[in-house]
Amino acid sequence: MSFAIVAEPLLGVYKGQVGGGQLDPLPSPARLHAALVCAAAQGVRAVADGDGLRPCDADRDALRWLEAHPPDGIAVPETLPNGGAATAYRKEGLVVKEGRSPLSEKLVGKPAVTGVAVAGRFAWTWEQDPPEPVAAALGALCPEVPYLGTSESPVRLAVAAADPTHRLDRDADLFTGEGLDLTVATTGRADALEAAHRETSVAPLLRADAHRSSEKTTAPPVVTAGLELGRYARPEPPPPPTPWTSVLLFRVDRPIPPQLRVRYAVAVHRALVALVGDGAPAVLTGVYEPGVSRPSNRCAIQFLGPDAPHVGGTALALLLPREASEVDLTLIRMAVQRLRHVKVAAGPFGVKPPVEVPADAFWPEPAVGTERWWQTEPVAVPDSRPPRGGRWSLADAAALSVALVWRHEFSAPGRGDVRYRALAEAAAGRGVRVESAVRVMDRDVGHYVHKVNPDTVIQPYRAVLSLGDLTGPRTIAAIGQSRHLGGGLLVPRDLPSDIVRRWAR
Amino acid sequence: MRSLDLASLLAAGSAGGPSCLTSTTALEPAGGRHTSVAPAKFAARGKKGGVYAYEQRYLGDESRYAVVVDSKQSQLNRAEVALAQAVEDRHPLLSRVPHVRVSYERDGAVEHYYDLTLPHRVFDGHIRAGAIDGQPTTQTEAYRAVRDATPANARALLETSPVTLVFGGWDSSRRSRQGRWRSALVGEIVGFVAASRDQAGVLAEPTPALRGGARVDPVGMQINLNKKAMTETATRQQAELSPATYGDIVKAANGIKPGDAKSASALGLGGIPPTLDQLAGVACDTIIRTHVLSFATLRQMRFGAGVEGDAVCRALLAALALNALARSDAELYLRANCDLVEAEMPMVRLDQRGGAFLDVEPLSIDAADLLLSEALAHAEKAADVKWSGLAMRVTGNPDIVSGAVETDDNA
């Protein structure tokens, strides 16, 4: 909860206008500031200034603090806009020389219903509390504000604590992206409002006050000084927990060919199990007692090319699964410190002591102007045979593999084929998109999987895919049947944003 | 439950006092919950005929459609009319409320209009266009003082037209130093209708039911008149017809050829076959009347009486607003087919700041009169306030009344 100014619409409606009379969907920070200026300049806290009033010094300081510190966030409740054809005709209290009569009362039609219905309260929030004198001044000033918008939308304004629904994006480009672009008071706004008020407060000459036979409304001046636009954006929801929490990353002394990664990973796996010794946890061995439920993911062993991040060269990565216990993880961390050499028929290799990197901060940020997509490296292998009962593509198989890795994010009904189809569909619902999936023709499927069921047709494929909102852009993960032993690693493939937008259309 | 007393109003008029008082009342049709009510009818933009004003609202957490049974403007008008009626009736206390009267002479009869009911109160065109003792109103010192009043010192308004301070007024045609007084009292009556939603759960805007209308003439369902008879009948009824209607009938009569005759339905003769095109009542499961008296608004006014004296003056204005509210709330007849009763006691709450509230007893007219008399006596003593009834007599501009025509007020 942050320091906040909270406004409760007392009739359940906020009525305000912006620009040329358009409906104001919510009171902006500038409107709040103007209301506070008004309350400070003529409420009980104001001090005499000639034959008029001005804000006291404490309130002036508070208003200037607001100008220097626009709200870091705003809380926008659920609202419903209103309008409609119903028109109320009212006499404006003016006499005009129009129509057939020499003099008549001005009758004006205005919408009978305007404004937005509000479920709850608006709030403007600051992450840091203001200095005590400012907080005290705002606390006393807020209850002196009777309305926001028109006098038909009275509010109860108070200093309180609130959570924002939108946060100020100080680097926002107002021409792209989404969010609420609201006017915000900046330095000099209160002074400009006071000056405009002083200027219009001079009584006209006696002659200028004479009644005229045809009257017009003299609109008050619109003061635009000390205003700027601020983008308030709804924060992206935090990505769901990563399937693997962290990565133990070892620099390797020579490149590992892609077609040998599964075999090398199997060798590393054997070496690690041997280093842990008796009682090696199932989350590492992959061997579970009968009846024990299996987690979505186990320890995964992957190889990265010569530009692997964090170590700057070919690397061996041991991905530690989220579902492992602390005891098991401690055992594994202790054992891997002793890993120096891995024996493998194709040629042994040495490793450097590991560094541990958080899985959600593994890859570098996407390049500017691009969106992060992923490519299977070297290939992925479907987790199941094609389910019966309809069309099933490699793209569906990839979506299913993604869903199985993030299984805790989905509650798919049914069993077997029905469940597989439901999982693939649910992944698509979370934004998982497979843009290309190409089968890899290779007679030796042993390059891509460790154990092969004689009834299963192995279909290794390369794919470019988006993980939707399942994870952040820097997370390391792998998909498919061989994800725990050198297959299906997802490496970044940053695509230009305009191409991605074209695909979306 | 505590009753609202002068001490509460004095506290509300002082720094640190409550922001507002809210009064909420559940209403229901006088005929019972099964009967419908006739909401306020509005003009339909761009087409003929009346419409109801529906708007989306939240009832608790549920989004619903509500129909405006009585608008904010109408509710304020009712409060003002209640005060004006008491002044007309020479109520001993309310007759002392300062007010401005505009008098017109039309066809030998004198008509009076007051700032209590004119649309823009003391800044209304009728007052500004008139004269006081032969001098144009806007050129008199007394009216200039009213126009020049500001939140820094609104004493001239307090002692000339306090209703402008309570119900608001905007001196919108003045070139500068415009008086802009927001209404301290707002309110409305809305009725919630059955929530109908589409398959996506989106609220469907209600469609008003229509009722049939017909006229039966036992003499004959079709009565046709020739040109002479039509013209003579219209001329005999001219005083009862609007100029526009009379003109239309005469124009139609002039178009009747010799030996021919046309329907006299415009003169109320003959029958009208049934049609299903008139707005029927609206069934509401919940009708709520809400009023808010904003002390924060009143606290943005000073009266040249010092800190305590100014608080006394604000308490007097609050008592006047509550008096008008008590009187208008006591009359629940809004329009034909819209008789309402209070389903429960009004809930009146005084904001105590910091999320605390004080429930107080709703004010009866007698209690409101007592409160106003106490507030006035205290204001006379502590702030030298002078309330002695009619404060300004304005002779209306004869050019206006000679040009006035009867118009239908659709709002």
Side-chain angles (χ1 to χ4, degrees):
Chain A
M1 298 283 257
S2 312
F3 177 87
I5 293 176
V6 176
E8 180 188 359
L10 294 172
L11 293 177
V13 177
Y14 165 66
K15 295 187 181 185
Q17 292 180 345
V18 287
Q22 302 101 316
L23 178 71
D24 189 12
L26 73 154
S28 65
R31 192 182 286 276
L32 168 73
H33 179 269
L36 290 169
V37 170
C38 181
Q42 59 187 36
V44 280
R45 293 170 60 82
V47 293
D49 181 21
D51 70 339
L53 298 168
R54 66 166 177 80
C56 65
D57 291 343
D59 288 354
R60 270 213 168 126
D61 290 345
L63 293 167
R64 285 182 179 143
W65 184 88
L66 287 175
E67 291 167 6
H69 299 84
D72 297 309
I74 56 169
V76 184
E78 198 180 319
T79 58
L80 295 166
N82 277 309
T87 305
Y89 283 92
R90 298 191 181 96
K91 292 173 181 170
E92 281 228 316
L94 299 177
V95 173
V96 290
K97 198 173 182 179
E98 293 170 354
R100 288 174 296 177
S101 307
L103 292 176
S104 63
E105 292 180 82
K106 187 177 179 187
L107 193 66
V108 174
K110 290 183 179 172
V113 172
T114 59
V116 292
V118 182
R121 308 181 301 173
F122 293 103
W124 301 262
T125 65
W126 287 264
E127 282 161 17
Q128 299 292 324
D129 285 3
E132 179 49 38
V134 171
L138 291 176
L141 203 47
C142 283
E144 302 302 323
V145 173
Y147 310 103
L148 282 177
T150 74
S151 64
E152 290 173 87
S153 54
V155 296
R156 187 160 35 229
L157 208 66
V159 166
D163 285 325
T165 56
H166 295 69
R167 291 183 191 280
L168 177 62
D169 182 352
R170 295 175 197 277
D171 303 319
D173 176 355
L174 294 176
F175 297 100
T176 58
E178 291 182 352
L180 303 169
D181 295 329
L182 304 174
T183 50
V184 177
T186 58
T187 306
R189 176 68 178 160
D191 291 342
L193 289 173
E194 276 191 64
H197 179 71
R198 266 195 305 276
E199 202 170 304
T200 57
S201 295
V202 179
L205 298 172
L206 184 65
R207 196 180 50 216
D209 254 355
H211 183 266
R212 297 175 293 280
S213 59
S214 193
E215 297 187 303
K216 286 179 183 162
T217 297
T218 305
V222 177
V223 182
T224 54
L227 286 178
E228 65 181 31
L229 276 183
R231 164 74 57 81
Y232 286 84
R234 201 179 276 278
E236 293 285 326
T242 53
W244 291 274
T245 52
S246 64
V247 183
L248 291 164
L249 197 62
F250 307 76
R251 181 161 180 171
V252 176
D253 60 7
R254 64 184 178 85
I256 309 296
Q259 70 274 19
L260 295 179
R261 285 183 181 178
V262 168
R263 286 177 194 168
Y264 275 60
V266 170
V268 172
H269 183 247
R270 285 185 187 135
L272 290 176
V273 171
L275 282 171
V276 176
D278 290 342
V283 78
L284 176 65
T285 62
V287 179
Y288 289 84
E289 293 292 330
V292 174
S293 64
R294 296 180 174 222
S296 308
N297 302 292
R298 307 193 301 275
C299 286
I301 296 164
Q302 296 285 347
F303 286 96
L304 288 90
D307 299 323
H310 306 291
V311 291
T314 301
L316 160 66
L318 175 63
L319 282 64
L320 302 178
R322 171 165 299 282
E323 293 161 271
S325 72
E326 275 306 311
V327 174
D328 290 351
L329 290 175
T330 304
L331 271 175
I332 294 167
R333 282 193 180 102
M334 286 170 64
V336 299
Q337 295 297 330
R338 291 183 276 132
L339 182 67
R340 290 289 178 270
H341 297 280
V342 179
K343 290 178 185 168
V344 59
F349 62 91
V351 300
K352 301 287 183 195
V355 292
E356 186 158 349
V357 184
D360 61 356
F362 187 84
W363 300 108
E365 290 281 1
V368 174
T370 66
E371 286 189 22
R372 175 136 299 172
W373 282 53
W374 305 92
Q375 182 170 315
T376 54
E377 173 71 22
V379 296
V381 178
D383 284 89
S384 75
R385 58 168 172 73
R388 297 182 183 86
R391 193 177 166 276
W392 184 259
S393 65
L394 272 181
D396 295 324
L400 171 62
S401 291
V402 171
L404 290 172
V405 170
W406 275 270
R407 204 178 305 168
H408 51 275
E409 286 294 312
F410 303 103
S411 57
R415 302 181 61 184
D417 291 354
V418 172
R419 183 163 175 271
Y420 285 158
R421 287 189 182 279
L423 280 170
E425 202 169 305
R430 293 290 297 269
V432 174
R433 299 277 179 274
V434 181
E435 197 50 46
S436 74
V438 181
R439 190 177 165 186
V440 174
M441 307 304 285
D442 191 331
R443 281 183 297 180
D444 185 359
V445 293
H447 286 157
Y448 308 113
V449 287
H450 169 44
K451 287 180 181 172
V452 181
N453 187 321
D455 297 334
T456 307
V457 178
I458 304 298
Q459 284 189 323
Y461 65 91
R462 285 196 179 87
V464 175
L465 59 124
S466 162
L467 291 174
D469 64 1
L470 281 175
T471 194
R474 301 184 61 196
T475 301
I476 184 170
I479 61 169
Q481 193 188 130
S482 55
R483 66 186 181 276
H484 300 122
L485 289 171
L489 180 67
L490 297 178
V491 298
R493 173 83 182 269
D494 292 349
L495 300 173
S497 301
D498 53 347
I499 289 181
V500 175
R501 274 199 291 273
R502 212 176 303 145
W503 284 348
R505 284 201 292 271
Chain B
M1 197 185 294
R2 192 177 145 181
S3 56
L4 204 58
D5 55 13
L6 182 57
S8 306
L9 298 188
L10 289 170
S14 306
S19 287
C20 59
L21 172 142
T22 53
S23 170
T24 313
T25 314
L27 304 175
E28 63 182 37
R33 292 174 66 91
H34 60 284
T35 55
S36 63
V37 297
K41 215 183 278 183
F42 296 86
R45 188 175 55 236
K47 56 182 179 179
K48 285 186 173 179
V51 291
Y52 295 137
Y54 287 100
E55 64 178 295
Q56 300 179 92
R57 290 286 184 101
Y58 289 93
L59 186 59
D61 291 334
E62 189 188 7
S63 58
R64 296 275 295 271
Y65 260 102
V67 65
V68 176
V69 177
D70 215 39
S71 67
K72 178 233 177 191
Q73 289 74 15
S74 180
Q75 280 288 285
L76 282 194
N77 288 345
R78 292 177 199 284
E80 292 165 299
V81 166
L83 284 183
Q85 189 62 51
V87 172
E88 282 277 329
D89 294 345
R90 299 181 192 281
H91 187 284
L93 175 62
L94 289 168
S95 295
R96 295 179 59 192
V97 176
H99 52 277
V100 178
R101 187 181 74 192
V102 184
S103 304
Y104 285 111
E105 194 174 329
R106 186 162 20 193
D107 301 330
V110 177
E111 299 168 1
H112 296 305
Y113 299 89
Y114 299 93
D115 60 335
L116 291 160
T117 49
L118 288 169
H120 271 226
R121 285 101 203 179
V122 79
F123 303 121
D124 196 85
H126 288 284
I127 294 174
R128 286 182 291 106
I132 299 173
D133 297 332
Q135 192 179 2
T137 305
T138 54
Q139 306 297 294
T140 63
E141 200 174 317
Y143 193 71
R144 288 268 289 179
V146 166
R147 294 187 96 177
D148 286 345
T150 66
N153 191 341
R155 172 70 73 144
L157 267 170
L158 178 71
E159 295 187 342
T160 306
S161 178
V163 290
T164 300
L165 298 177
V166 171
F167 299 115
W170 182 16
D171 197 0
S172 62
S173 65
R174 204 180 192 201
R175 295 188 177 178
S176 59
R177 203 178 172 101
Q178 295 181 345
R180 287 192 213 132
W181 305 94
R182 295 182 289 192
S183 54
L185 185 69
V186 292
E188 63 178 7
I189 301 177
V190 294
F192 287 86
V193 299
S196 168
R197 296 175 195 277
D198 64 16
Q199 286 182 333
V202 177
L203 272 175
E205 182 164 357
T207 309
L210 299 175
R211 64 184 168 86
R215 186 173 73 203
V216 175
D217 188 332
V219 176
M221 285 302 283
Q222 176 87 33
I223 294 177
N224 294 332
L225 299 178
N226 59 27
K227 176 179 178 180
K228 183 167 179 276
M230 182 88 84
T231 307
E232 285 177 359
T233 310
T235 304
R236 277 198 299 276
Q237 296 182 21
Q238 185 176 0
E240 296 159 25
L241 301 171
S242 75
T245 305
Y246 174 73
D248 288 345
I249 295 171
V250 171
K251 190 178 171 188
N254 287 335
I256 301 173
K257 293 175 183 166
D260 205 354
K262 277 193 175 172
S263 168
S265 60
L267 285 161
L269 299 173
I272 297 175
T275 52
L276 199 64
D277 57 2
Q278 296 181 40
L279 287 171
V282 176
C284 303
D285 57 29
T286 306
I287 303 175
I288 300 175
R289 179 181 65 197
T290 313
H291 284 108
V292 177
L293 173 60
S294 168
F295 296 120
T297 300
L298 297 177
R299 284 200 296 270
Q300 292 191 10
M301 303 171 191
R302 301 182 188 202
F303 304 94
V307 173
E308 287 181 18
D310 287 344
V312 169
C313 296
R314 294 178 198 124
L316 176 60
L317 290 173
L320 178 62
L322 291 169
N323 196 288
L325 189 57
R327 286 172 187 278
S328 69
D329 277 2
E331 291 298 331
L332 270 166
Y333 166 77
L334 301 181
R335 64 188 67 83
N337 300 318
C338 195
D339 300 293
L340 299 169
V341 293
E342 291 174 346
E344 54 192 44
M345 284 288 284
M347 192 173 78
V348 183
R349 306 185 91 188
L350 204 53
D351 163 50
Q352 297 288 279
R353 294 198 174 187
F357 300 92
L358 177 68
D359 289 334
V360 295
E361 282 181 17
L363 276 177
S364 65
I365 292 177
D366 287 346
D369 282 353
L370 181 63
L371 189 60
L372 180 59
S373 69
E374 288 176 355
L376 180 54
H378 191 52
E380 286 174 328
K381 204 184 298 174
D384 196 25
V385 170
K386 294 179 180 64
W387 274 18
S388 47
L390 188 57
M392 211 174 258
R393 290 180 173 84
V394 178
T395 304
N397 184 337
D399 290 344
I400 293 176
V401 80
S402 67
V405 291
E406 294 297 325
T407 54
D408 293 327
D409 190 354
N410 292 311

